Amino acid sequence: MQHNLENTIALLGRTPAALDALLRDLPEAWTRQNEGENTWSAFDVVGHLIHGERTDWMPRARIILQFGETRAFEPFDRWAQMRESEGKSFGQLLDEFARLRSVNLAGLRALNLRPEDFQRRGRHPALGVVTLSELLATWAAHDLTHLHQISRIMAHQYREAVGPWTSFLGVMQCAGHSS
Amino acid sequence: MQHNLENTIALLGRTPAALDALLRDLPEAWTRQNEGENTWSAFDVVGHLIHGERTDWMPRARIILQFGETRAFEPFDRWAQMRESEGKSFGQLLDEFARLRSVNLAGLRALNLRPEDFQRRGRHPALGVVTLSELLATWAAHDLTHLHQISRIMAHQYREAVGPWTSFLGVMQCAGHSS
């Protein structure tokens, strides 16, 4: 489908509650383990989502609306959460993600975007010219890429435990595709 | 980690609420679309999870405990939900999944499994000898493989909408690995 603002908001609005229902008070054997060196745990992923709410999606939307292609977005720090999440509980991270997402969706609605705004162009530091529509679609798809990743990280913890069933479980064959 | 009954139950108990938070009342542009011919939508996946609650996990656990390797499990019908979900709303499916999962987890706890029970052996019609421990671990990992799949199916709907960002989104590179 083409990008559709209401569909994007419907998904973005549900992710915090979905992650909360899945992860809050889940044993750390699931949530604090990763897939090996230089990979993330579910805890790290939620920290990354928080960092995105703070520095990526709405700040970039505002740069597009204010500066167009004349000002490139700030590069995104994919490891910022390792510092920012330190000492926090998973419950605190889930609360923080839900709060920031709610604030950002209120901010998005308050922009009162008109149909022609979605084709406004900005400049990504690596990808070059992108549109506001692509940015907003990516915000939603980014939630899904990390839900996909969290499922895979957690499944990995039972890689040996499932025995011969591993060949029937698609998630156990997933190579990660970078995230 | 090794299979751990409490960790398995912790995860199995959360999946219905996580899927409910993600999918209930989400626009059908997300939930009723699939990835192409002979693939499933999120609606189909939840129907498949329901069929598993009815015919797979606890029935197989009981076959292991009662018959050991002498009686193979019934083969699982991976397309049963296409018939069984027909005419139902997504809300009805989510309710049904939550109800059946709750009943099954109560049944699992009521088995009062002792440590030695987890190594009891059964016979899978395709995989051969499996243990009760492997069956229970697979029940949890199977939830995760389908959460992984649902994330991918939904991300697929925005494959074009994200424009050049598709190269940064791992989920868009996921080949499915059979489910």
Side-chain angles (χ1 to χ4, degrees):
Chain A
M1 62 174 145
Q2 294 296 302
H3 177 250
N4 172 296
L5 184 63
E6 288 312 309
N7 288 350
T8 293
I9 290 176
L11 184 65
L12 289 172
R14 280 167 172 78
T15 308
L19 291 178
D20 198 287
L22 183 66
L23 300 171
R24 189 178 293 265
D25 300 327
L26 192 65
E28 294 195 349
W30 292 118
T31 60
R32 300 298 290 254
Q33 300 300 313
N34 60 23
E35 297 174 286
E37 200 177 355
N38 288 321
T39 66
W40 296 355
S41 66
F43 180 85
D44 299 329
V45 173
V46 175
H48 166 77
L49 292 170
I50 289 171
H51 192 67
E53 292 304 304
R54 286 218 181 87
T55 70
D56 191 329
W57 311 107
M58 283 302 290
R60 288 181 170 188
R62 292 195 168 96
I63 288 172
I64 292 177
L65 293 171
Q66 195 170 352
F67 301 102
E69 297 174 55
T70 65
R71 183 173 144 193
F73 308 147
E74 297 292 321
F76 184 80
D77 179 357
R78 292 189 68 254
W79 292 89
Q81 70 277 8
M82 300 305 176
R83 184 177 66 246
E84 293 175 356
S85 300
E86 209 178 315
K88 294 186 180 154
S89 71
F90 211 150
Q92 286 175 301
L93 293 195
L94 290 164
D95 290 342
E96 183 69 355
F97 177 49
R99 188 185 68 76
L100 290 168
R101 174 60 58 88
S102 172
V103 168
N104 280 332
L105 289 184
L108 176 59
R109 288 193 182 282
L111 292 176
N112 282 315
L113 295 170
R114 297 156 301 175
E116 61 269 30
D117 289 328
F118 293 104
Q119 292 316 308
R120 292 177 69 169
R121 291 147 66 101
R123 185 170 299 278
H124 185 283
L127 298 171
V129 174
V130 292
T131 66
L132 180 60
S133 166
E134 289 165 349
L135 175 74
L136 297 175
T138 301
W139 190 2
H142 181 264
D143 277 8
L144 294 170
T145 212
H146 288 295
L147 187 58
H148 183 259
Q149 180 188 23
I150 286 171
S151 313
R152 190 189 66 234
I153 298 165
M154 298 209 300
H156 177 73
Q157 311 312 318
Y158 263 6
R159 186 173 293 278
E160 278 78 43
V162 300
W165 265 290
T166 190
S167 63
F168 285 4
L169 295 165
V171 70
M172 298 294 188
Q173 274 77 58
C174 184
H177 334 290
S178 88
S179 69
Chain B
M1 62 174 147
Q2 294 296 303
H3 177 251
N4 172 297
L5 185 63
E6 287 312 310
N7 288 350
T8 293
I9 290 175
L11 184 65
L12 289 172
R14 280 166 172 80
T15 308
L19 291 179
D20 198 285
L22 183 67
L23 299 171
R24 189 177 292 265
D25 298 326
L26 193 64
E28 293 194 350
W30 292 118
T31 60
R32 300 298 290 254
Q33 300 300 312
N34 61 23
E35 297 173 286
E37 200 178 354
N38 287 322
T39 66
W40 296 355
S41 66
F43 180 85
D44 299 329
V45 173
V46 175
H48 166 77
L49 291 170
I50 288 171
H51 192 67
E53 292 304 303
R54 286 219 180 87
T55 69
D56 191 330
W57 312 107
M58 283 302 290
R60 288 181 171 188
R62 292 195 168 98
I63 288 172
I64 291 177
L65 293 171
Q66 194 169 354
F67 301 101
E69 297 174 54
T70 64
R71 183 173 143 192
F73 309 146
E74 296 292 320
F76 185 81
D77 180 356
R78 292 189 69 253
W79 292 88
Q81 71 277 9
M82 300 306 176
R83 184 177 67 246
E84 293 175 356
S85 301
E86 209 179 314
K88 294 186 180 153
S89 71
F90 211 151
Q92 286 175 301
L93 293 195
L94 290 164
D95 290 342
E96 183 70 355
F97 177 49
R99 187 185 69 76
L100 290 168
R101 175 59 58 88
S102 172
V103 168
N104 279 332
L105 289 183
L108 176 59
R109 287 194 184 280
L111 292 177
N112 283 315
L113 295 170
R114 297 156 301 174
E116 60 270 29
D117 289 329
F118 294 103
Q119 292 317 309
R120 293 176 69 170
R121 293 147 65 102
R123 185 170 299 279
H124 186 284
L127 298 171
V129 174
V130 292
T131 66
L132 180 60
S133 166
E134 289 165 348
L135 175 74
L136 297 174
T138 302
W139 190 2
H142 181 264
D143 277 9
L144 294 170
T145 213
H146 287 295
L147 187 58
H148 183 259
Q149 180 188 22
I150 286 171
S151 313
R152 189 188 68 234
I153 299 165
M154 297 210 300
H156 177 75
Q157 310 313 318
Y158 263 7
R159 186 173 291 279
E160 278 78 43
V162 301
W165 265 290
T166 190
S167 63
F168 285 5
L169 294 165
V171 69
M172 298 293 188
Q173 273 77 57
C174 183
H177 333 291
S178 89
S179 70

